[in-house]
């Protein structure tokens, strides 16, 4: 969706390296969701951010929301092969029942 | 607690054939959604439902119909399949508008 841009589109990193994925919206963010999709499988919910400046962490994954920039970043510390997959961000804008998804970032982690 | 399940997992259709995809959730969620996922296009919303007996159009509703006769089930129908409907279809559910959507494992559909 042009309303939600993810970068980079793909990423190949060596195990142990840190990495960041960005999600930028052309609309005001009222909620930003991060999902992970393993190849050929469904989406797994990671985190939801709602407030400007909010930061959440789960294991080695940290997500932040910059309301002013209308952007969220997902940071993985000390990447592992288990982190490989497609990361998608989803935008919820005001007064809507729907989520708009970005096109995803494909992450590969090699030993 | 199975969460969101989808049947079938994989299907091959010929152009013009019809089929129904079934989504079931056991979380008593009010909201249910059908998406399709295509390379380079991300996830796009087809139809959704905000409660039993209700349906609404999403981003790409043409060629699809849906029904929500029971709260736990959301059916997606293709009346006359076209090759452009070759895709991976995902169902999701949530307890409310602002709540997290939980996804099923997907159905791969190939239309020849």
């Amino acid at each position: 969706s042009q309303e939600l841009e993810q970068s980079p589109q793909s990423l190949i990193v060596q195990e142990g390296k840190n990495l960041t994925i960005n999600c930028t919206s052309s609309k005001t963010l009222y909620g930003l969701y991060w999902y992970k999709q393993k190849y050929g499988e469904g989406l797994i919910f990671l985190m939801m951010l709602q407030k400007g400046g909010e930061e959440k962490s789960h294991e080695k994954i940290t997500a932040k929301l910059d309301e002013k920039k209308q952007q969220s970043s997902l940071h993985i510390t000390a990447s592992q092969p288990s982190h490989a997959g497609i990361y998608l961000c989803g935008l919820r804008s005001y007064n809507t029942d729907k989520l708009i998804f970005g096109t995803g970032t494909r992450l590969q982690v090699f030993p | 607690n199975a969460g969101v399940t989808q049947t079938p997992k994989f299907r091959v259709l010929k152009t013009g054939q019809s089929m129904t995809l079934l989504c079931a959730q056991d979380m008593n969620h009010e909201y249910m959604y059908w998406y399709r996922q295509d390379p380079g296009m991300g996830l796009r919303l087809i139809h959704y439902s905000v409660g039993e007996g209700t349906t609404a159009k999403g981003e790409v509703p043409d060629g699809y119909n849906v029904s929500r006769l029971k709260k736990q089930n959301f059916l997606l129908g293709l009346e006359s399949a076209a090759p452009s409907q070759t895709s991976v279809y995902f169902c999701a559910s949530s307890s409310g508008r602002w709540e997290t959507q939980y996804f099923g494992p997907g159905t791969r559909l190939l239309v020849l």
Side-chain angles (χ1 to χ4, degrees):
Chain A
S1 168
Q2 292 180 342
E3 298 175 11
L4 207 56
E5 295 285 339
Q6 281 188 242
S7 62
Q9 288 186 339
S10 66
L11 200 51
I12 303 174
V13 300
Q14 188 173 25
E15 184 176 358
K17 297 292 186 185
N18 302 336
L19 62 105
T20 299
I21 298 168
N22 292 306
C23 177
T24 303
S25 172
S26 61
K27 290 188 171 184
T28 303
L29 296 172
Y30 286 93
L32 194 291
Y33 298 74
W34 283 102
Y35 288 85
K36 178 187 175 185
Q37 184 180 23
K38 289 197 170 182
Y39 302 114
E41 298 182 14
L43 280 70
I44 299 167
F45 171 71
L46 295 175
M47 279 170 274
M48 178 182 71
L49 304 167
Q50 282 188 296
K51 301 173 186 175
E54 188 172 14
E55 180 175 321
K56 288 186 177 177
S57 293
H58 176 66
E59 297 179 344
K60 294 185 178 180
I61 301 176
T62 300
K64 299 179 185 179
L65 183 64
D66 186 330
E67 203 171 47
K68 287 183 181 177
K69 291 184 180 179
Q70 295 182 174
Q71 185 180 72
S72 177
S73 61
L74 187 81
H75 184 77
I76 299 177
T77 304
S79 59
Q80 300 168 356
S82 61
H83 288 126
I86 300 171
Y87 289 81
L88 293 118
C89 61
L91 160 72
R92 183 180 299 286
S93 54
Y94 181 71
N95 200 27
T96 176
D97 295 314
K98 311 168 197 174
L99 277 183
I100 298 169
F101 284 91
T103 53
T105 294
R106 186 178 293 267
L107 172 65
Q108 294 175 267
V109 181
F110 63 94
Chain B
N1 191 338
V4 180
T5 57
Q6 293 182 233
T7 52
K9 286 187 170 58
F10 178 69
R11 185 77 183 267
V12 179
L13 287 179
K14 293 182 180 177
T15 297
Q17 287 185 317
S18 63
M19 78 163 293
T20 301
L21 282 68
L22 171 63
C23 175
Q25 51 93 5
D26 61 3
M27 298 175 280
N28 201 34
H29 283 171
E30 290 292 335
Y31 285 59
M32 295 187 75
Y33 309 82
W34 274 109
Y35 294 90
R36 60 178 289 174
Q37 186 178 38
D38 303 289
M41 303 292 288
L43 276 166
R44 293 180 292 170
L45 183 65
I46 304 171
H47 285 281
Y48 66 102
S49 168
V50 300
E52 183 179 317
T54 75
T55 62
K57 293 181 180 180
E59 194 182 350
V60 288
D62 293 342
Y64 305 94
N65 56 74
V66 287
S67 63
R68 184 98 181 269
L69 298 179
K70 292 183 179 180
K71 186 177 184 178
Q72 63 267 35
N73 295 336
F74 196 28
L75 278 62
L76 178 71
L78 285 73
E79 289 185 349
S80 179
S84 60
Q85 293 178 305
T86 292
S87 188
V88 182
Y89 292 86
F90 288 100
C91 176
S93 72
S94 67
S95 58
R97 174 190 278 190
W98 299 103
E99 303 304 319
T100 299
Q101 291 185 21
Y102 294 92
F103 283 77
T107 294
R108 291 184 176 274
L109 176 65
L110 175 62
V111 182
L112 302 175

